[in-house]
Amino acid sequence: MKKVSIIGSGNVGATAALITAKEALGDVVLLDVVQGIPQGKALDLSAAMSLFQSPSKITGTDDYDDISGSDVVVITAGLPRQPGMSRSDLLKKNSAIVTSVVENIVDRCPDAILLIVTNPLDVMTYLAFKKSGLPKNRVLGMGGLLDTSRLRFFIAEAAEVEVERVEAMVIGAHSNDMVPLISLAKIDGKPVSEVLDKEAIEVIKEKTVNGGAKIVSLLKTGSAFYAPGSSAAAMVKAIIRDEKVTIPTCCLTEGEYGFNGIYINLPAIIGGGGVEKIVELEISESERGELNNSAEAIKTSIDELESL
Ligand code: A3D
């Protein structure tokens, strides 16, 4: 059995644990700083496994020694943005958390692939890469896949088709600067622009970009977690099963799409080695412009991080 550890046993971490264990991707260790939460959730999740006929064992802990030898470590530890908290307050708080989490992981899990989920995603993934000293292929972030899941859903909803018939992708920053690649979106292999009118497509883009904020406003406390946890588990699966599938992933650029040294969501082949290759797609001129703006926004956040 492989070993998947999930740091942060909140809503996203527990959801990712449920799916990872249900799919028998490995034994799962949930870790949190709050005593009792990971242990309680692990007990609850463990009972569910008999319903799925899954052999995965789930344990909860607040001791980093229990994650030793993990194959994949998912980092969901962090604070959500609270009312009155600025973006840079969040950056400060979560960068301190991610730094301490990464320091606790590296010596205990020398072969692990790190999957970052904590927001602000692009800059936290960059930070985890810098602090871990791991090769770039073994530090990646989940953000583009969640945004993509929302885009596919909203296209399917507008076109009144099953979501499996929709092919689409969102790249760029995991923020309002994300880039839904409408030029490449298809329904049953047909360009989406031949199926839906311009106005409908604009609504879909707006719903995708504001999908997370809409859920926050409806929930009142907390933010989305079913699709984020499911997206993280899908990436764990691609790694553990060496799927070599193309997933929009937050990955380090070294010249791809003209970017250098920043982490940004781009289509990448994900397999046993983590990020195995970034895939360069033909995108439209306007999407290219939006992607450049996205990269500029990420660079500004990285500068802010480095000035802390
Ligand atoms: P929440 O349910 O509050 O869980 C976070 C957990 O982290 C809590 O149980 C905390 O006790 C724990 N924690 C805090 N500090 C530490 C620490 N130092 N070590 C270990 N555990 C710690 O939040 P959530 O699960 O809804 O979200 C978790 C993170 O994921 C937040 O930063 C969210 O913004 C982010 N998130 C990202 C996406 C992306 O698509 C990138 C989507 C949804 C949520």
Side-chain angles (χ1 to χ4, degrees):
M1 251 312 180
K2 297 278 190 183
K3 181 168 177 179
V4 178
S5 293
I6 300 176
I7 316 300
S9 312
N11 283 335
V12 176
T15 305
L18 172 64
I19 298 165
T20 300
K22 176 179 184 285
E23 303 228 348
L25 299 175
D27 288 332
V28 176
V29 180
L30 268 174
L31 184 145
D32 205 284
V33 278
V34 181
Q35 186 44 299
I37 300 271
Q39 292 86 351
K41 290 195 178 179
L43 258 183
D44 190 8
L45 288 163
S46 295
M49 290 309 113
S50 67
L51 304 166
F52 305 132
Q53 311 293 345
S54 169
S56 291
K57 291 193 179 63
I58 307 159
T59 47
T61 185
D62 49 7
D63 180 353
Y64 272 97
D65 284 343
D66 294 331
I67 72 161
S68 296
S70 297
D71 297 285
V72 180
V73 182
V74 184
I75 301 180
T76 74
L79 301 181
R81 187 145 144 203
Q82 282 137 2
M85 193 185 218
S86 71
R87 245 198 88 267
S88 67
D89 288 340
L90 182 73
L91 181 71
K92 236 184 241 170
K93 292 235 177 326
N94 281 357
S95 56
I97 292 174
V98 168
T99 299
S100 85
V101 167
V102 168
E103 284 167 357
N104 275 300
I105 295 169
V106 280
D107 290 340
R108 295 176 172 94
C109 308
D111 302 320
I113 289 174
L114 306 191
L115 176 64
I116 319 305
V117 182
T118 305
N119 273 320
L121 191 267
D122 310 295
V123 65
M124 288 303 113
T125 312
Y126 171 89
L127 176 68
F129 168 67
K130 290 283 174 190
K131 295 288 176 191
S132 68
L134 291 174
K136 62 175 182 173
N137 59 302
R138 284 173 49 203
V139 183
L140 56 153
M142 189 292 291
L145 184 56
L146 171 65
D147 298 331
T148 293
S149 72
R150 290 183 176 143
L151 175 61
R152 289 183 65 204
F153 166 66
F154 291 127
I155 292 175
E157 184 187 47
E160 298 181 8
V161 300
E162 297 80 6
V163 77
E164 312 91 88
R165 291 163 60 184
V166 176
E167 206 185 298
M169 191 178 284
V170 178
I171 60 172
H174 176 64
S175 69
N176 288 353
D177 297 304
M178 70 179 72
V179 186
L181 294 178
I182 296 297
S183 71
L184 300 179
K186 295 189 177 86
I187 301 172
D188 295 332
K190 246 195 197 172
V192 104
S193 57
E194 289 178 17
V195 183
L196 296 169
D197 62 28
K198 267 195 180 147
E199 205 179 309
I201 291 174
E202 279 314 306
V203 172
I204 289 167
K205 281 172 77 174
E206 186 275 325
K207 281 183 168 175
T208 303
V209 172
N210 295 316
K214 171 86 180 173
I215 293 168
V216 168
S217 75
L218 288 167
L219 292 179
K220 311 280 190 300
T221 56
S223 53
F225 55 96
Y226 291 118
S230 306
S231 301
M235 293 181 78
V236 170
K237 177 156 91 59
I239 295 165
I240 298 273
R241 301 231 170 112
D242 191 23
E243 286 179 341
K244 303 199 191 299
V245 280
T246 303
I247 294 179
T249 299
C250 186
C251 49
L252 184 75
T253 48
E254 284 179 337
E256 297 89 351
Y257 290 80
F259 306 134
N260 245 309
I262 58 163
Y263 262 87
I264 184 165
N265 291 278
L266 293 171
I269 297 177
I270 305 300
V275 178
E276 301 197 348
K277 189 181 184 322
I278 296 176
V279 180
E280 302 232 21
L281 297 174
E282 288 286 325
I283 60 176
S284 72
E285 276 296 302
S286 66
E287 288 163 351
R288 181 72 242 186
E290 287 174 43
L291 187 60
N292 288 343
N293 289 342
S294 222
E296 284 308 314
I298 292 175
K299 277 184 205 156
T300 305
S301 301
I302 291 177
D303 288 346
E304 198 180 330
L305 172 82
E306 287 180 341
S307 68
L308 287 179

